[in-house]
């Protein structure tokens, strides 16, 4: 069992097999060689892994994010943020974080946010003398907040595989997401002050345009700002479920792109839909294969054995969470959040419940951990996106994220040991 | 030694109890010839996946309210017809009637499923955020139901809006007011602490849930004769044994409900009569549209009358 | 492989991509119509949730075919990038062949399941749709994944495709 469920998948993973084939091969071979289960189960569980209403939110939020990033929303949002941060020293750095935060509130994907903020702000950050490494690190790491701020594909996957309410997870992510952004912004301002010199002082085009005034900028970007409000208030007021919020977000983005901003043709909207279908296949085929893998783990009694081990070791929730944070941070260096959430949730959630930790709070801890993993070297989608979109050297990106990594890990500790930060808003639902 | 995986969507309820008693009864008869593994709480997948699992033989056995097997064997919906059982005891007399029980065992055999357990689960109640002691109170309310016609159509007939919704979204939807209530059994309502969100249940007394345990027939036939016999006997012994447990569990759940500040309301005799009439019209229409279902329905009703 | 054949494969792939895009847009419209119906009129479109989920199953597995065709599946390629060109190419070919074998195995199981479901006549709960309809997505897609993996094994490595208009791999 250890061969087919641990050694084989690790070997295939290292040899560069796509994650979904790693999980599929491990599951199918375990069934054929170790378990006495008819191999028909392979088909049945692959199908069942995707045939899940909660997962519908994934294609919808992917599509809404694609439309938003293509219809010129990011420029408008940057302008809006500059309209009230423009006077600050280090404003462009803060603007980068604020843009990632607000773009994160219209998109469920962290790499998409990195691409959008990077395209809009990288050149200006360089002009304002933030330096290449710092700018690249800032862009790659601030995009991570997009999966902590709702909507979030990571939370949808956690909720779907752990049977937790996605609405609650979305609401629970708001304050931790804002805390991460605040901590990042504080770090940037501090860094700019400590470096003295003229960093962040030189005027740039965007900073100039940002002085168009708060009111004018708000009107200019109202269409984009309305999107997170529609989604979150819809969920909060009970008008629709997270999945329906995703559908509404898509329809709204289509209307905004076609008739509001007149920035996309129907053909371009279809193009965005086709790319979203591609991305959906890329993500959810892993969900499907992970269902097979975790089915084998369950029937082989792995979660039960781990609970037994935790009981014997007499771990307190505090120590358990610290251990989990350490493990997730290390894992996050090598694998993508989608796979990590799908493989780990069924294993960890029974232990979490056994220890009396709130599963919603745990979902947030897991999401934050894995959002950090998205920009920790050597493997992190955000790193690769920053590299390819900004034509940068991967080494510069990796060096640049270090400071931000420490800031976010410190924030992770606060989020882990202060459950009300995540749970308070959900009690108001 | 052969392994028998028993799956269910629930935990610590009468279905789970049946699985545990069945495992003991089977061990008494065949020792460790069959290794029974119990997977409650949807550990092996969602309800539709578990149904397919037994059909395909990836799971040997699955226990569920009959409503979820209708897509496999349409005749099983007869047990959901409103107003056929007077009480849990009456229900048990009907499904444990020796001759009719033998018939139940074979009802889904065409589809490759053998029914080795048939038990009383619990009454269907309607949970609401606002008290609904009158039938007219339910008009216009958005009520979460299963996607089965025998739940949807009767609810529409009395003016409510039936909405199938995934279980994980029921709690936030209730809290936020996206739905006003749901149909469910009391053990489920207390197990998931619904009294924190909505205080009122109305006991419509229209339907008692029957749960059945099905095994994959190919797997069953591949067992030696003594094991086959032991499985059938253990199933029946377990269903006799859990009846009082099930009745007591519903009472315990009712008490837990009121202990946590919930209220259990009942319709007036007049309202009940009018509701039963409406429900019967609707369900008769559904149940007589297919001659095979109609024949099974008639056979069931004969036992229902004889055992009243 | 001749230019003509690969040209028509390209055209077919482009139509295929567009159809998946249209499917997604149709899903959005149905979903919003259902939410609006419930909120404004207190009436859901019967069976719409089920239909949406079945559509998503097709979208996902066919989407995975596109990802296979463009060799865009998520994976860890750092080790591979460290290898010299010869061994790297060998590893890639072995990998594509292994994936093709695995896909064939899945398709075989899938075929058996479809036959069984047809025999039983299993139908869905809300719409009464034959369950073969959503399940067939697995068979069809894994057969296509098998085909594309073989093509990937035979073909020299291609630069990332640029059919999304932006000139970049979508993320
Ligand atoms: Na987000
Ligand atoms: Na990483």
């Amino acid at each position: 069992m250890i061969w087919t469920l641990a050694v084989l998948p690790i070997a295939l993973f290292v040899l560069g097999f796509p994650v979904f084939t790693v999980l599929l091969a491990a599951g199918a071979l375990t069934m054929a060689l170790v378990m006495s289960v008819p191999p028909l189960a392979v088909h049945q569980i692959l199908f069942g892994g995707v045939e899940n209403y909660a997962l519908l939110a994934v294609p919808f939020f992917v599509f809404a994010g694609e439309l938003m990033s293509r219809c010129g929303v990011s420029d408008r949002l940057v302008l809006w943020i500059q309209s009230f941060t423009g006077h600050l020293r280090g404003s462009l750095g803060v603007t980068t974080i604020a843009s990632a935060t607000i773009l994160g509130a219209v998109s469920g994907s962290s790499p998409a946010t990195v691409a959008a903020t990077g395209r809009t702000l990288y050149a200006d950050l360089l002009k304002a003398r933030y330096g290449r490494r710092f700018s690249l690190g800032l862009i790659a790491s601030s995009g991570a907040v997009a999966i902590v701020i709702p909507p979030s594909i990571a939370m949808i996957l956690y909720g779907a595989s752990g049977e937790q309410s996605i609405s609650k997870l979305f609401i629970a992510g708001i304050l931790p997401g804002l805390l991460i952004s605040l901590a990042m912004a504080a770090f940037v301002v501090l860094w700019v002050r400590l470096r003295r010199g003229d960093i962040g002082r030189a005027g740039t085009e965007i900073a100039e345009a940002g002085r168009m005034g708060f009111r004018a900028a708000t009107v200019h970007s109202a269409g984009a700002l309305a999107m997170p409000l529609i989604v979150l208030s819809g969920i909060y007021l009970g008008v629709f479920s997270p999945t329906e919020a995703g559908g509404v977000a898509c329809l709204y983005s289509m209307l905004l792109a076609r008739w509001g901003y007149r920035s996309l043709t129907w053909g371009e909207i279809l193009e965005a839909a086709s790319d979203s279908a591609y991305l959906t296949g890329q993500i959810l085929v892993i969900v499907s294969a992970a269902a097979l893998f975790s089915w084998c783990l369950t029937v082989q009694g792995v979660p039960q054995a781990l609970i037994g081990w935790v009981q014997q070791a007499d771990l307190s929730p505090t120590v358990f969470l610290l251990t989990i944070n350490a493990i997730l941070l290390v894992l996050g260096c090598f694998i993508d959040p989608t796979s990590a959430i799908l493989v780990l949730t069924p294993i960890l959630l029974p232990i979490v419940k056994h220890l009396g930790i709130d599963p919603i709070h745990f979902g947030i801890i897991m999401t934050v951990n894995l959002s950090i993993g998205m920009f920790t070297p050597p493997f992190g989608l955000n790193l690769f996106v920053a590299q390819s979109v900004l034509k940068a050297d991967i080494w510069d990106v990796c060096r640049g994220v270090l400071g931000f990594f420490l800031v976010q890990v410190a924030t992770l500790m606060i989020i882990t040991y202060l459950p009300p930060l995540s749970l308070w808003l959900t009690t108001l639902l | 030694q052969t392994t028998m995986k028993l799956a269910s969507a629930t935990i610590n309820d009468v279905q789970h109890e049946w699985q545990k008693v069945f495992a003991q009864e089977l061990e008494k008869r065949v020792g460790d010839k069959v290794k029974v593994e119990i997977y409650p709480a949807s550990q092996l997948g969602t309800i539709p996946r578990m149904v397919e699992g037994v059909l395909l033989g990836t799971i040997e056995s699955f226990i569920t309210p009959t409503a979820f097997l209708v897509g496999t064997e349409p005749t099983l919906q007869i047990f959901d017809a409103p107003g056929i059982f007077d009480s849990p005891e009456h229900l048990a007399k009907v499904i444990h009637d020796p001759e009719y029980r033998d018939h139940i065992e074979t009802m889904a055999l065409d589809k490759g499923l053998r029914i080795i357990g048939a038990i009383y689960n619990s009454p269907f109640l309607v949970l609401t955020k606002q008290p609904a002691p009158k039938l007219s109170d339910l008009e216009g309310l958005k009520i979460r139901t299963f996607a089965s016609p025998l739940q949807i159509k009767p609810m529409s007939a009395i003016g409510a809006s039936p909405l199938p919704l995934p279980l994980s979204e029921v709690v936030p939807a209730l809290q936020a007011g996206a739905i006003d209530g749901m149909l469910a059994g009391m053990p489920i309502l207390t197990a998931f602490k619904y009294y924190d969100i909505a205080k009122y249940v109305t006991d419509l007394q229209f339907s008692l849930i029957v749960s059945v345990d099905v095994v994959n027939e190919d797997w069953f036939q591949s067992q030696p004769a003594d094991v086959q016999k032991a499985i059938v006997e253990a199933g029946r012994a377990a269903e006799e044994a859990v009846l009082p447990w099930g009745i007591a569990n519903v009472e315990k759940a009712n008490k837990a409900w009121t202990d946590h500040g919930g209220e259990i309301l009942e319709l007036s005799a007049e309202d009940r009569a009018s509701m039963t009439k409406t429900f019967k019209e609707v369900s008769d229409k559904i149940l007589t549209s297919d001659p095979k279902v109609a024949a099974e329905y008639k056979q069931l009703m004969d036992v229902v009358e004889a055992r009243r | 492989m001749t230019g003509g054949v690969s040209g028509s494969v390209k055209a077919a792939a482009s139509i295929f991509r567009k159809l998946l895009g249209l499917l997604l847009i149709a899903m959005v419209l149905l979903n919003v119509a259902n939410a609006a119906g419930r909120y404004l009129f207190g009436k859901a479109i019967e069976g719409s949730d089920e239909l949406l989920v079945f559509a998503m199953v097709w979208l996902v597995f066919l989407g995975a075919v596109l990802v296979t065709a463009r060799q865009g599946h998520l994976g860890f390629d750092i080790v591979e990038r460290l290898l010299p060109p010869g061994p790297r190419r060998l590893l890639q070919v072995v990998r594509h062949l292994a994936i093709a074998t695995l896909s064939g195995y899945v398709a075989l199981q899938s075929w058996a399941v479809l036959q069984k479901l047809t025999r039983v006549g299993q139908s869905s709960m809300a719409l009464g749709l034959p369950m073969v309809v959503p399940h067939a997505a697995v068979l069809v897609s894994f057969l296509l994944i098998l085909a594309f993996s073989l093509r990937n094994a035979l073909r020299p490595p291609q630069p990332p495709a640029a059919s999304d208009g932006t000139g970049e791999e979508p993320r």
Side-chain angles (χ1 to χ4, degrees):
Chain A
M1 175 183 118
I2 192 102
W3 285 99
T4 54
L5 281 177
V7 178
L8 173 83
I10 291 172
L12 293 181
F13 180 70
V14 171
L15 289 176
F17 275 73
V19 175
F20 96 95
T21 61
V22 170
L23 298 168
L24 182 55
L29 278 171
T30 306
M31 266 183 193
L33 304 177
V34 184
M35 301 162 74
S36 58
V37 178
L40 301 182
V42 172
H43 161 99
Q44 209 226 335
I45 301 163
L46 285 178
F47 175 83
V50 183
E51 200 252 18
N52 180 342
Y53 179 81
L55 291 176
L56 261 176
V58 172
F60 289 169
F61 280 116
V62 166
F63 185 28
E66 284 289 311
L67 286 168
M68 276 287 170
S69 66
R70 286 170 197 218
C71 75
V73 153
S74 31
D75 297 339
R76 287 165 197 258
L77 288 177
V78 167
L79 212 65
W80 180 69
I81 295 159
Q82 281 279 301
S83 74
F84 57 90
T85 59
H87 61 282
L88 264 177
R89 211 181 137 199
S91 84
L92 205 56
V94 174
T95 298
T96 308
I97 294 161
S99 306
T101 312
I102 297 184
L103 282 172
V106 300
S107 136
S109 138
S110 172
T113 307
V114 170
T117 47
R119 280 199 195 106
T120 328
L121 287 159
Y122 182 56
D124 296 300
L125 282 166
L126 292 184
K127 255 189 252 166
R129 303 193 190 159
Y130 280 80
R132 210 174 45 224
R133 272 182 198 161
F134 187 84
S135 307
L136 288 170
L138 178 63
I139 287 166
S141 61
S142 57
V145 82
I147 63 167
V148 184
I149 298 260
S152 158
I153 289 167
M155 288 180 196
I156 298 168
L157 298 178
Y158 175 83
S161 75
E163 298 206 315
Q164 299 299 316
S165 160
I166 293 162
S167 300
K168 278 193 178 181
L169 286 162
F170 276 12
I171 303 296
I174 297 175
L175 293 181
L178 291 178
L179 180 72
I180 294 171
S181 296
L182 272 179
M184 295 271 291
F187 176 73
V188 167
V189 170
L190 202 69
W191 187 85
V192 168
R193 301 259 148 141
L194 290 177
R195 297 306 276 271
R196 277 176 277 171
D198 55 357
I199 299 168
R201 211 166 242 164
T204 69
E205 272 170 58
I206 284 189
E208 294 294 337
R211 294 195 190 100
M212 76 189 279
F214 180 64
R215 195 174 294 178
T218 306
V219 173
H220 185 64
S221 56
L225 289 170
M227 163 100 159
L229 290 180
I230 293 172
V231 171
L232 283 182
S233 60
I235 293 175
Y236 236 121
L237 301 174
V239 182
F240 34 68
S241 69
T243 303
E244 288 164 349
V248 170
C250 289
L251 185 67
Y252 177 74
S253 316
M254 279 196 262
L255 298 179
L256 186 71
R258 186 66 199 88
W259 285 308
Y261 293 165
R262 294 165 192 273
S263 50
L264 295 183
T265 63
W266 287 118
E268 285 164 333
I269 288 176
L270 179 59
E271 192 58 36
S274 298
D275 280 348
S276 305
Y278 179 97
L279 286 165
T280 302
Q282 202 180 30
I283 298 169
L284 293 191
V285 78
I286 301 180
V287 172
S288 165
L292 181 68
F293 187 72
S294 62
W295 198 90
C296 293
L297 289 179
T298 305
V299 175
Q300 292 292 300
V302 173
Q304 294 87 326
L306 279 176
I307 292 182
W309 180 79
V310 168
Q311 262 168 336
Q312 233 176 13
D314 204 18
L315 285 186
S316 69
T318 315
V319 177
F320 171 77
L321 286 178
L322 194 67
T323 318
I324 290 300
N325 277 331
I327 293 174
L328 288 177
L329 282 176
V330 173
L331 274 181
C333 295
F334 301 102
I335 67 178
D336 68 292
T338 307
S339 323
I341 284 185
L342 293 166
V343 174
L344 294 176
T345 304
I347 302 179
L348 295 179
L349 209 56
I351 308 179
V352 165
K353 287 181 182 158
H354 170 80
L355 289 174
I357 299 164
D358 189 294
I360 298 291
H361 180 215
F362 187 71
I364 301 302
I365 295 174
M366 205 140 148
T367 306
V368 174
N369 261 299
L370 297 167
S371 77
I372 296 174
M374 300 213 62
F375 67 87
T376 43
F379 185 82
L381 277 184
N382 291 7
L383 302 172
F384 305 146
V385 172
Q387 178 198 15
S388 75
V389 171
L390 308 177
K391 314 270 177 294
D393 181 15
I394 189 79
W395 181 239
D396 282 335
V397 188
C398 291
R399 289 278 297 270
V401 294
L402 183 67
F404 300 103
F405 172 77
L406 295 176
V407 174
Q408 292 210 15
V409 170
T411 322
L412 169 65
M413 289 300 123
I414 299 176
I415 292 166
T416 303
Y417 293 110
L418 199 65
L421 187 69
S422 308
L423 298 177
W424 179 64
L425 275 182
T426 65
T427 61
L428 303 181
L429 190 82
Chain B
Q1 196 199 28
T2 167
T3 303
M4 184 176 184
K5 294 190 288 300
L6 307 185
S8 80
T10 52
I11 189 165
N12 298 334
D13 67 337
V14 68
Q15 300 189 129
H16 192 194
E17 184 66 19
W18 181 90
Q19 294 176 320
K20 289 190 265 188
V21 176
F22 171 81
Q24 290 161 6
E25 292 288 341
L26 189 61
E27 199 193 357
K28 252 190 240 166
R29 289 170 173 81
V30 296
D32 61 359
K33 268 195 195 169
V34 179
K35 185 172 158 230
V36 174
E37 292 175 354
I38 298 177
Y39 295 94
S42 297
Q43 284 179 28
L44 298 186
T46 59
I47 290 173
R49 291 297 81 68
M50 289 190 277
V51 174
E52 286 168 6
V54 205
L55 278 173
L56 302 170
T58 59
I59 296 171
E60 287 75 20
S61 171
F62 170 48
I63 187 164
T64 173
T66 47
F68 295 110
L69 291 168
V70 173
T72 313
E73 178 45 61
T75 56
L76 288 174
Q77 64 187 306
I78 57 173
F79 296 104
D80 290 331
I84 51 177
F85 301 118
D86 302 337
S87 64
E89 289 81 4
H90 178 219
L91 180 153
K93 271 193 223 154
V94 173
I95 61 175
H96 298 163
D97 172 283
E99 203 180 317
Y100 192 61
R101 181 65 186 79
D102 286 344
H103 174 68
I104 292 179
E105 182 164 336
T106 63
M107 274 178 82
L109 219 46
D110 288 356
K111 303 298 162 74
L113 300 180
R114 180 180 293 265
I115 295 177
I116 60 156
I119 58 172
Y120 160 66
N121 187 317
S122 58
F124 256 122
L125 308 168
V126 56
L127 170 82
T128 52
K129 287 181 86 171
Q130 300 300 322
K134 295 202 299 287
L135 206 52
S136 56
D137 295 329
L138 293 171
E139 270 172 39
L141 292 192
K142 286 172 266 184
I143 305 290
R144 188 257 178 179
T145 64
F146 297 146
S148 106
L150 276 166
Q151 289 205 351
I152 291 178
K153 298 278 194 273
M155 281 291 119
S156 301
I158 56 168
S161 301
L163 292 169
L165 200 70
L167 191 61
S168 60
E169 288 307 320
V170 168
V171 170
L174 261 177
Q175 279 175 322
I179 55 173
D180 306 300
M182 72 186 288
L183 278 183
M186 188 56 99
I188 298 294
L189 292 179
T190 49
F192 291 97
K193 299 193 171 62
Y194 275 94
Y195 40 70
D196 289 341
I197 312 158
K199 290 266 173 268
Y200 307 96
V201 295
T202 306
D203 186 357
L204 296 179
Q205 300 187 18
F206 79 103
S207 173
L208 300 178
I209 304 168
V210 174
S211 282
V212 292
D213 187 276
V214 287
V215 291
N216 178 289
E217 177 65 3
D218 293 342
W219 176 83
F220 182 83
Q221 290 302 339
S222 73
Q223 301 305 312
D226 62 324
V227 171
Q228 289 186 5
K229 186 162 166 279
I231 287 174
V232 170
E233 283 175 7
R236 303 227 182 162
E239 61 191 40
E240 300 284 343
V242 300
L243 176 65
W245 193 97
I247 294 173
N249 190 46
V250 170
E251 276 164 18
K252 212 170 80 189
N254 285 343
K255 186 168 176 309
W257 184 261
T258 46
D259 283 353
H260 285 91
E263 282 186 43
I264 302 176
L265 310 169
E266 286 192 15
L267 294 178
S268 67
E270 204 181 320
D271 269 6
R272 268 201 61 197
S274 117
M275 180 199 74
T276 311
K277 189 165 160 283
T278 315
F279 279 10
K280 191 151 171 34
E281 280 166 16
V282 176
S283 67
D284 279 355
K285 216 171 171 185
I286 299 172
L287 291 170
T288 51
S289 59
D290 174 343
K292 204 175 153 218
V293 177
E296 283 285 350
Y297 185 45
K298 190 181 170 299
Q299 189 179 351
L300 169 67
M301 288 313 287
D302 288 345
V303 188
V304 163
E305 294 306 333
R307 288 294 180 161
R308 190 156 261 153
Chain C
M1 208 178 283
T2 69
V5 172
S6 96
S8 57
V9 166
K10 247 186 199 148
S14 154
I15 293 170
F16 185 56
R17 257 173 55 79
K18 288 213 166 74
L19 286 177
L20 285 189
L22 285 173
L23 177 62
L24 178 53
I25 292 174
M27 286 164 64
V28 167
L29 297 178
L30 177 58
N31 186 251
V32 175
N34 190 38
R38 198 186 62 211
Y39 187 62
L40 301 175
F41 314 111
K43 274 257 182 300
I45 302 172
E46 237 174 85
S48 65
D49 289 350
E50 204 176 77
L51 197 60
L52 280 170
V53 172
F54 292 170
M56 174 178 65
V57 170
W58 275 96
L59 185 79
V60 168
F61 288 110
L62 291 180
V65 173
L66 278 183
V67 183
T68 309
R70 287 165 69 171
Q71 305 195 29
H73 283 293
L74 293 181
F76 179 83
D77 60 353
I78 287 179
V79 172
E80 173 187 322
R81 278 196 260 164
L82 296 176
L83 293 176
R88 189 193 305 161
R89 182 66 198 138
L90 181 68
L91 174 61
Q92 285 168 348
V93 170
V94 170
R95 207 167 54 201
H96 291 309
L97 292 177
I99 294 171
T101 314
L102 192 61
S103 308
Y105 180 74
V106 173
L108 214 59
Q109 304 313 328
S110 210
W111 174 241
V113 169
L114 290 186
Q115 280 180 313
K116 187 131 187 177
L117 288 177
T118 315
R119 209 160 50 234
V120 177
Q122 179 77 354
S123 60
S124 71
M125 195 148 91
L127 294 168
L129 206 68
M131 282 305 286
V132 183
V133 173
H135 275 275
V138 179
L139 176 66
V140 171
S141 304
F142 275 88
L143 284 176
L144 288 169
I145 291 177
L146 164 70
F148 278 110
S149 299
L150 288 179
R151 188 189 68 152
N152 290 342
L154 297 175
R155 231 163 48 141
Q158 305 283 306
S163 56
D164 63 355
T166 63
E168 290 163 15
E169 275 292 278
R171 294 281 175 184

